[in-house]
Amino acid sequence: MPKTKQIHLDEQLCFQVYTVNKKFNHFYQQALKPFDLTYPQYIAMLTLWQYAPLSVKQLGEYLHLDSGTLTPLLKRLESHGWITRSRSESDERTVIIELTEDAQNKRDDVFDRVNNCFDILGLTPEEKAACSQTMSTIETKLDDYNESHI
């Protein structure tokens, strides 16, 4: 008889995170539908509303995404009137992303919609903070592990 303890799916933290992630994606898909935004586009917009203008490289650093992943996302945001992209005057290899006036005007509507959806979940501020702290701790521990095993 093997000495290895059997692994059960419902005991796996990684599976819980995976399942919650799928449910969050569906949640955001519904919340963002009126704005024709996907979740990755939404997090890009959150970052731009906070820090714009940004280079593609800077945005990628904030979101932990490479330019190959960001470029199609940014093209779609641009085609839908959320952003503009232009070459930097000081270094034409650098693409600068700026918000359009329309994106600036829609910001509060997007925030209100997402916040209203969060109200439906009924999380107290303390529960939300505890979840956030736990996820941050897990992220840090995974980063530490991954850095030590490179």
Side-chain angles (χ1 to χ4, degrees):
M1 183 124 168
K3 294 179 182 179
T4 303
K5 181 184 176 207
Q6 183 175 350
I7 296 174
H8 296 276
L9 183 61
D10 60 348
E11 296 172 349
Q12 295 300 295
L13 180 60
C14 58
F15 184 69
Q16 290 174 321
V17 170
Y18 168 79
T19 302
V20 169
N21 183 53
K22 284 181 64 173
K23 291 179 182 188
F24 255 124
N25 284 340
H26 181 72
F27 170 84
Y28 275 102
Q29 181 182 18
Q30 297 305 311
L32 299 169
K33 191 174 191 172
F35 306 100
D36 196 26
L37 288 172
T38 63
Y39 179 72
Q41 291 168 344
Y42 169 69
I43 62 171
M45 290 304 300
L46 283 179
T47 307
L48 290 165
W49 278 317
Q50 187 171 357
Y51 299 110
L54 289 174
S55 69
V56 172
K57 181 180 178 182
Q58 290 169 317
L59 180 61
E61 289 170 354
Y62 278 114
L63 300 177
H64 308 286
L65 295 173
D66 61 37
S67 63
T69 303
L70 273 177
T71 299
L73 181 152
L74 294 172
K75 283 183 179 180
R76 184 146 188 244
L77 285 173
E78 186 174 39
S79 72
H80 285 88
W82 290 95
I83 63 162
T84 59
R85 295 178 301 150
S86 59
R87 297 276 174 198
S88 167
E89 291 180 15
S90 60
D91 180 357
E92 65 181 49
R93 296 171 296 174
T94 301
V95 175
I96 302 298
I97 309 158
E98 296 188 73
L99 295 167
T100 63
E101 186 176 329
D102 194 38
Q104 292 170 349
N105 292 336
K106 288 181 182 176
R107 185 194 73 171
D108 289 346
D109 292 337
V110 173
F111 288 176
D112 287 343
R113 173 77 176 154
V114 171
N115 286 336
N116 288 340
C117 288
F118 260 107
D119 291 343
I120 293 167
L121 294 179
L123 289 175
T124 66
E126 295 79 16
E127 289 171 325
K128 188 177 174 189
C131 288
S132 182
Q133 180 58 52
T134 300
M135 290 294 107
S136 180
T137 298
I138 292 169
E139 181 182 12
T140 299
K141 289 182 180 289
L142 287 169
D143 284 345
D144 291 347
Y145 173 83
N146 289 332
E147 287 176 17
S148 68
H149 288 83
I150 292 179

